[in-house]
Amino acid sequence: MDVFCSVIVPMYNEEEVIEHTYTRLKQVMDCTGENYEIIFVNDGSRDRTEEIVKPISRSDPHVRLIQFSRNFGHQVAISAGMDYASGQSVVIIDADLQDPPEIILEMIDKWQEGYQVVYGRRLMRKGESVFKKVTAKLFYRVLGKLTQVDIPLDTGDFRLIDRQVCDVMKGLKEKNRFIRGLVGWAGFRQTSVEYVREERFAGVTKYPLRKMISFAADGITSFSHKPLKIASYIGVTLSLSSFVYLFVVLLQKWMELGTVPGWASIVAINLFFNGIVLMLLGVMGEYIGRIYDESKDRPLYIVREALGYHSRDNRSVESSYASEEMRDQIEGYVG
Ligand code: UDP
Ligand code: MG
């Protein structure tokens, strides 16, 4: 039977919430009266997440469990879910119940009206630190200014996409993925449903500052070259102003106003310019690092185990890769 909707749930150390999440998701999806699948992607959790979800995937024929060989990151986990999803519609939802599963029903309604991307727009974010809210708001505004791609404000990855959009996403092979940008880039008929982002049901955020920064850098560098151009703008401005300064110095000399001993100013200028040069080298490094990632062309993720597929097809437990190509790549590495 055709799968009507696939729900992708990325999980990283979610032992405290995952059982509850499953129960709520199941309740909601049963309401549709259609055939659905819930794809849990275990992104290398080190806690009891696996032990909790495994029995669920055995007892509930709607549930699949994709297990990574290590932590590959949230965006990669979602991408794997898309590779494995077979639904006519695909929903992405966090494991921590910050995105209320009940909203999925509204998304499905919009999809049935003919929209191919239905994203959740956060009206309010409960229980998140002021720092997170302020930096998130700022980030989306800066991103909007830097890029031409339409990335709707105040949305996360909680969304429904149509099969056609999912197939487009699967074809985008870039390594440092910023999925909400890629979906925006793809276009199609898009709309939103509004919701209040709840507090995390339990546990703590799996996005420490370090991950937030690299996520933000992926977002900007994937969709904009402007930071690279900043280098030339600053360069031009500085060299123009240094010509002005040269003129002032020469004038002082000609008019015999006496030259300043000037050691301090030289040191200051030196530090200032070195700082700028290093900063701009860093910006270039961000891009070059990503080009390097692309050229190595390693697989996006490695699946250790895929459960819950027994009834549908005979993907074996040990070797289930998202695509033939990926299997060849990985087994090629292993030898
Ligand atoms: N997550 C993941 N891999 C990671 C980090 C997070 O799969 O390396 C999952 C996590 O389990 C959750 C979702 O991504 O389902 C969003 O993470 P979290 O709720 O911690 O982020 P926040 O809501 O605080 O931004
Ligand atoms: Mg969360």
Side-chain angles (χ1 to χ4, degrees):
M1 190 161 66
D2 254 11
V3 178
F4 171 77
C5 182
S6 305
V7 182
I8 301 172
V9 189
M11 312 178 293
Y12 180 53
N13 297 342
E14 298 288 7
E15 61 179 6
E16 284 158 282
V17 293
I18 202 61
E19 194 150 17
H20 196 80
T21 305
Y22 162 67
T23 319
R24 272 214 14 219
L25 263 178
K26 188 175 170 54
Q27 274 169 5
V28 169
M29 295 314 290
D30 282 340
C31 291
T32 61
E34 302 274 355
N35 186 22
Y36 65 89
E37 62 178 358
I38 301 178
I39 304 177
F40 288 106
V41 183
N42 182 9
D43 184 12
S45 300
R46 292 160 189 274
D47 64 356
R48 293 181 51 254
T49 303
E50 172 175 352
E51 288 157 54
I52 297 169
V53 183
K54 239 181 184 168
I56 298 178
S57 76
R58 292 216 177 89
S59 62
D60 184 342
H62 293 294
V63 173
R64 330 255 177 258
L65 172 61
I66 312 295
Q67 309 235 62
F68 281 179
S69 61
R70 62 167 170 86
N71 179 249
F72 280 89
H74 176 212
Q75 302 287 297
V76 175
I78 296 175
S79 308
M82 289 184 188
D83 288 339
Y84 277 84
S86 53
Q88 289 310 304
S89 59
V90 176
V91 171
I92 302 157
I93 189 167
D94 281 357
D96 58 2
L97 292 175
Q98 280 196 283
D99 310 324
E102 293 70 28
I103 304 293
I104 296 177
L105 298 177
E106 285 176 41
M107 291 181 167
I108 290 178
D109 285 345
K110 290 273 184 197
W111 172 59
Q112 287 178 325
E113 281 170 29
Y115 291 99
Q116 288 177 288
V117 177
V118 187
Y119 47 85
R121 188 190 287 280
R122 304 157 175 170
L123 284 181
M124 211 168 72
R125 303 165 72 124
K126 285 193 201 161
E128 287 182 309
S129 66
V130 175
F131 177 74
K132 180 135 192 168
K133 286 186 203 164
V134 170
T135 47
K137 238 195 162 68
L138 205 71
F139 169 64
Y140 287 108
R141 265 101 197 138
V142 171
L143 191 66
K145 288 264 180 299
L146 286 178
T147 61
Q148 279 86 48
V149 180
D150 232 351
I151 301 171
L153 291 178
D154 305 317
T155 61
D157 286 320
F158 182 34
R159 58 185 64 210
L160 177 149
I161 60 177
D162 181 72
R163 163 69 15 213
Q164 203 183 354
V165 183
C166 183
D167 287 340
V168 170
M169 291 299 116
K170 282 163 68 177
L172 301 175
K173 292 298 177 200
E174 56 198 86
K175 311 290 175 200
N176 297 284
R177 303 170 79 78
F178 185 67
I179 291 178
R180 52 200 80 166
L182 294 176
V183 174
W185 173 87
F188 295 99
R189 276 191 80 197
Q190 311 208 354
T191 187
S192 61
V193 293
E194 292 174 340
Y195 73 104
V196 174
R197 190 154 160 94
E198 297 293 333
E199 262 177 71
R200 216 174 209 286
F201 183 74
V204 294
T205 176
K206 305 301 174 312
Y207 260 96
L209 186 61
R210 177 180 54 79
K211 279 193 185 169
M212 269 166 66
I213 291 174
S214 95
F215 179 68
D218 281 341
I220 292 173
T221 53
S222 302
F223 290 98
S224 172
H225 293 159
K226 280 191 189 153
L228 285 174
K229 293 188 187 146
I230 293 173
S232 28
Y233 298 145
I234 297 183
V236 169
T237 319
L238 284 180
S239 53
L240 282 182
S241 46
S242 66
F243 274 116
V244 174
Y245 184 61
L246 187 69
F247 184 69
V248 172
V249 172
L250 289 177
L251 215 61
Q252 278 178 336
K253 193 156 174 64
W254 289 332
M255 299 175 74
E256 287 173 359
L257 291 174
T259 35
V260 216
W263 186 84
S265 60
I266 287 176
V267 171
I269 289 170
N270 233 319
L271 287 177
F272 177 67
F273 282 95
N274 280 334
I276 288 183
V277 169
L278 285 178
M279 187 193 85
L280 296 177
L281 276 178
V283 171
M284 289 188 192
E286 292 286 328
Y287 285 89
I288 295 173
R290 285 171 176 77
I291 299 171
Y292 182 47
D293 286 342
E294 296 299 328
S295 66
K296 281 184 295 190
D297 200 26
R298 291 189 185 150
L300 261 186
Y301 53 86
I302 300 172
V303 171
R304 166 165 65 84
E305 188 176 43
L307 300 174
Y309 282 95
H310 40 268
S311 54
R312 271 191 331 111
D313 57 30
N314 53 4
R315 289 182 202 223
S316 76
V317 165
E318 289 79 22
S319 64
S320 311
Y321 300 113
S323 62
E324 295 283 306
E325 188 190 322
M326 188 159 287
R327 190 191 56 221
D328 293 345
Q329 269 177 4
I330 293 171
E331 290 183 349
Y333 277 111
V334 179

